[in-house]
mmCIF file of all heavy atoms in Angstrom:
data_model
loop_
_atom_site.group_PDB
_atom_site.id
_atom_site.type_symbol
_atom_site.label_atom_id
_atom_site.label_comp_id
_atom_site.label_asym_id
_atom_site.label_seq_id
_atom_site.Cartn_x
_atom_site.Cartn_y
_atom_site.Cartn_z
ATOM 1 N N GLY P 208 -0.817 18.885 -22.880
ATOM 2 C CA GLY P 208 -1.203 19.646 -21.747
ATOM 3 C C GLY P 208 -0.167 19.785 -20.732
ATOM 4 O O GLY P 208 1.076 19.528 -20.955
ATOM 5 N N GLU P 209 -0.553 20.156 -19.562
ATOM 6 C CA GLU P 209 0.382 20.361 -18.342
ATOM 7 C C GLU P 209 1.057 19.050 -17.853
ATOM 8 O O GLU P 209 0.306 18.053 -17.642
ATOM 9 C CB GLU P 209 -0.265 21.129 -17.283
ATOM 10 C CG GLU P 209 0.637 21.585 -16.167
ATOM 11 C CD GLU P 209 -0.094 22.413 -15.180
ATOM 12 O OE1 GLU P 209 -1.297 22.778 -15.394
ATOM 13 O OE2 GLU P 209 0.479 22.670 -14.103
ATOM 14 N N THR P 210 2.315 19.117 -17.644
ATOM 15 C CA THR P 210 3.025 17.863 -17.124
ATOM 16 C C THR P 210 3.027 18.051 -15.621
ATOM 17 O O THR P 210 3.210 19.103 -15.065
ATOM 18 C CB THR P 210 4.489 17.949 -17.595
ATOM 19 O OG1 THR P 210 4.559 17.875 -19.036
ATOM 20 C CG2 THR P 210 5.207 16.734 -16.962
ATOM 21 N N PRO P 211 2.631 16.954 -14.924
ATOM 22 C CA PRO P 211 2.647 16.897 -13.490
ATOM 23 C C PRO P 211 3.999 17.320 -12.816
ATOM 24 O O PRO P 211 5.076 17.170 -13.495
ATOM 25 C CB PRO P 211 2.218 15.504 -13.127
ATOM 26 C CG PRO P 211 1.549 14.979 -14.336
ATOM 27 C CD PRO P 211 2.263 15.632 -15.478
ATOM 28 N N PRO P 212 4.002 17.759 -11.605
ATOM 29 C CA PRO P 212 5.210 18.171 -10.915
ATOM 30 C C PRO P 212 6.090 17.028 -10.575
ATOM 31 O O PRO P 212 7.306 17.236 -10.420
ATOM 32 C CB PRO P 212 4.711 18.855 -9.637
ATOM 33 C CG PRO P 212 3.359 18.244 -9.424
ATOM 34 C CD PRO P 212 2.856 17.988 -10.691
ATOM 35 N N GLY P 213 5.695 15.804 -10.583
ATOM 36 C CA GLY P 213 6.395 14.732 -10.141
ATOM 37 C C GLY P 213 6.513 14.511 -8.636
ATOM 38 O O GLY P 213 6.045 15.396 -7.786
ATOM 39 N N PHE P 214 7.082 13.445 -8.136
ATOM 40 C CA PHE P 214 7.272 13.158 -6.732
ATOM 41 C C PHE P 214 8.770 13.346 -6.299
ATOM 42 O O PHE P 214 9.708 13.263 -7.094
ATOM 43 C CB PHE P 214 6.914 11.692 -6.455
ATOM 44 C CG PHE P 214 5.403 11.440 -6.571
ATOM 45 C CD1 PHE P 214 5.043 10.301 -7.370
ATOM 46 C CD2 PHE P 214 4.466 12.208 -6.002
ATOM 47 C CE1 PHE P 214 3.622 10.016 -7.500
ATOM 48 C CE2 PHE P 214 3.158 11.939 -6.104
ATOM 49 C CZ PHE P 214 2.692 10.856 -6.890
ATOM 50 N N SER P 215 8.938 13.637 -5.086
ATOM 51 C CA SER P 215 10.291 13.928 -4.471
ATOM 52 C C SER P 215 10.569 12.850 -3.433
ATOM 53 O O SER P 215 9.629 12.077 -3.010
ATOM 54 C CB SER P 215 10.229 15.317 -3.815
ATOM 55 O OG SER P 215 9.462 15.285 -2.634
ATOM 56 N N PRO P 216 11.870 12.707 -3.054
ATOM 57 C CA PRO P 216 12.197 11.825 -1.917
ATOM 58 C C PRO P 216 11.375 12.107 -0.650
ATOM 59 O O PRO P 216 11.081 11.180 0.024
ATOM 60 C CB PRO P 216 13.675 12.061 -1.715
ATOM 61 C CG PRO P 216 14.147 12.505 -3.052
ATOM 62 C CD PRO P 216 13.028 13.338 -3.575
ATOM 63 N N GLN P 217 11.069 13.280 -0.374
ATOM 64 C CA GLN P 217 10.187 13.675 0.791
ATOM 65 C C GLN P 217 8.834 13.036 0.639
ATOM 66 O O GLN P 217 8.327 12.628 1.603
ATOM 67 C CB GLN P 217 10.156 15.206 0.919
ATOM 68 C CG GLN P 217 11.406 15.850 1.415
ATOM 69 C CD GLN P 217 12.439 15.992 0.241
ATOM 70 O OE1 GLN P 217 12.030 15.938 -0.951
ATOM 71 N NE2 GLN P 217 13.691 16.285 0.553
ATOM 72 N N ASP P 218 8.294 13.063 -0.634
ATOM 73 C CA ASP P 218 6.975 12.405 -0.865
ATOM 74 C C ASP P 218 7.114 10.865 -0.567
ATOM 75 O O ASP P 218 6.148 10.269 -0.021
ATOM 76 C CB ASP P 218 6.562 12.627 -2.298
ATOM 77 C CG ASP P 218 6.376 14.161 -2.523
ATOM 78 O OD1 ASP P 218 6.006 14.866 -1.613
ATOM 79 O OD2 ASP P 218 6.427 14.522 -3.788
ATOM 80 N N LEU P 219 8.169 10.249 -1.033
ATOM 81 C CA LEU P 219 8.299 8.861 -0.805
ATOM 82 C C LEU P 219 8.364 8.642 0.718
ATOM 83 O O LEU P 219 7.793 7.606 1.220
ATOM 84 C CB LEU P 219 9.611 8.333 -1.412
ATOM 85 C CG LEU P 219 10.050 6.901 -1.077
ATOM 86 C CD1 LEU P 219 9.055 5.933 -1.497
ATOM 87 C CD2 LEU P 219 11.406 6.591 -1.746
ATOM 88 N N ASN P 220 9.097 9.378 1.537
ATOM 89 C CA ASN P 220 9.143 9.241 2.892
ATOM 90 C C ASN P 220 7.802 9.340 3.578
ATOM 91 O O ASN P 220 7.456 8.692 4.545
ATOM 92 C CB ASN P 220 10.092 10.315 3.489
ATOM 93 C CG ASN P 220 10.299 10.060 4.981
ATOM 94 O OD1 ASN P 220 10.774 9.193 5.452
ATOM 95 N ND2 ASN P 220 9.765 11.099 5.809
ATOM 96 N N ALA P 221 6.971 10.295 3.066
ATOM 97 C CA ALA P 221 5.618 10.483 3.528
ATOM 98 C C ALA P 221 4.744 9.160 3.384
ATOM 99 O O ALA P 221 3.980 8.772 4.257
ATOM 100 C CB ALA P 221 4.908 11.651 2.950
#
Side-chain angles (χ1 to χ4, degrees):
E209 187 176 351
T210 301
F214 292 128
S215 69
Q217 291 77 18
D218 296 333
L219 172 60
N220 182 65

